[in-house]
Amino acid sequence: MKSETACGGATLEQESVARTRKIVHVDMDAFYASVEQRDNPSYRGKPLVVGGSPNQRGVVAAASYEARKFGIHSAMPSITAIAKCPGLIFVRPRFDVYREISAAIHAIFKRYSDLVEGVALDEAYLDVTENRQNIPYASTIARHIKTAIFQETQLTATAGVSINKFLAKMASGQNKPNGLTMILPEDAIAFVEQLPIEKFHGIGEVTAAKMHSLGIDTGADLKMRSLLELTHHFGKAGQYYYKIARAEDDRPVEGNRVRKSIGAETSFANDLSDVGQMLQELEQIAQIVEQRLEQHETRGRTLTLKVKFSDYHQITRSKTMLAPISELSMIFEIAKALFESIDLENRSIRLLGISLSNLDNAKQTQVIQLPLFQNAGIVF
């Protein structure tokens, strides 16, 4: 098991007991791929992805750590993945199995807190400021959760502990896989200031490139910029960047929000001007949306297409169906029709997105609107 770390050099015994929020972020390690390797010993130690076949223009849903060494990541076109690693193993998703394991993991979370916010099947935030077992230290709870997950599922998880959701998320990314990292209250500002801008959760490749062009290379550089300047350059997202540069995040952990939409979007490193390429990207986004609908066992009646042009002008087009949909063919067909209704003459595109709302499953409890690629900006 990996050793626990506390960012800033403090030991676990020095964890603050001040009346601040205690947030734990738990992220399963290469969840889908790890499940497949657990259930099929012949896959262990080999580069593997869960997703669609490269012969059918599929998309990677998850990659094992062995595959990640080749630069393969989720949402990558399968044909690109196989080019990076010719011996790559492709496995079709088994969402029924992933959901069952996810339910077992969430049951473990509930032993410690009633405030559990699932971000996806493999990721959740817990507010353990007041917890069901009256354990004083969030790090102790995180250790117990990690141990229980491994004992009951034979899978590993990485945990981050801090005073808000942003910092807990950043902490969980510091020591993967099977790690536990804390960012203590007294270390929060220093941690953020030294962080390279591309490491910030919510700042992807495209946004990071723009920040570098503005001379923003670290958290300290970001902190020097005013709210007015950041909103001028980045719109609404500028408010988020302004706060996280100061290690501030007042978003609560919400365990009972009603899911309003499921979608995916991507920002392109290079603006697209070829319609054929735009449609190819749109189809890949539709595949991710289909996967996410299947993950959460739901369908939607209203499809919304989002387009952002190279000049940052953004438009949306929506269509509401008589019956809910979840099939790839219908998602892409409707998105394509909406896309073709837009005047693209002499215009290039920097972002495309698809979402489905008016969902038909009342049991869903979280708002899921995730970016498709790692270079996508934060979604509001």
Side-chain angles (χ1 to χ4, degrees), residues 334-347:
I334 296 166
K336 182 173 179 287
L338 292 172
F339 178 78
E340 291 175 341
S341 70
I342 298 170
D343 182 9
L344 297 174
E345 185 175 359
N346 298 321
R347 306 185 80 179

Side-chain angles (χ1 to χ4, degrees), residues 215-250:
I216 302 172
D217 300 316
T218 67
D221 297 331
L222 184 62
K223 188 179 177 183
M224 292 176 63
R225 306 306 173 103
S226 69
L227 176 60
L228 182 62
E229 182 178 0
L230 291 175
T231 53
H232 171 72
H233 288 294
F234 303 103
K236 286 176 62 177
Q239 301 173 23
Y240 174 80
Y241 302 149
Y242 182 82
K243 285 188 174 182
I244 60 174
R246 290 157 177 76
E248 297 174 3
D249 182 4
D250 55 7

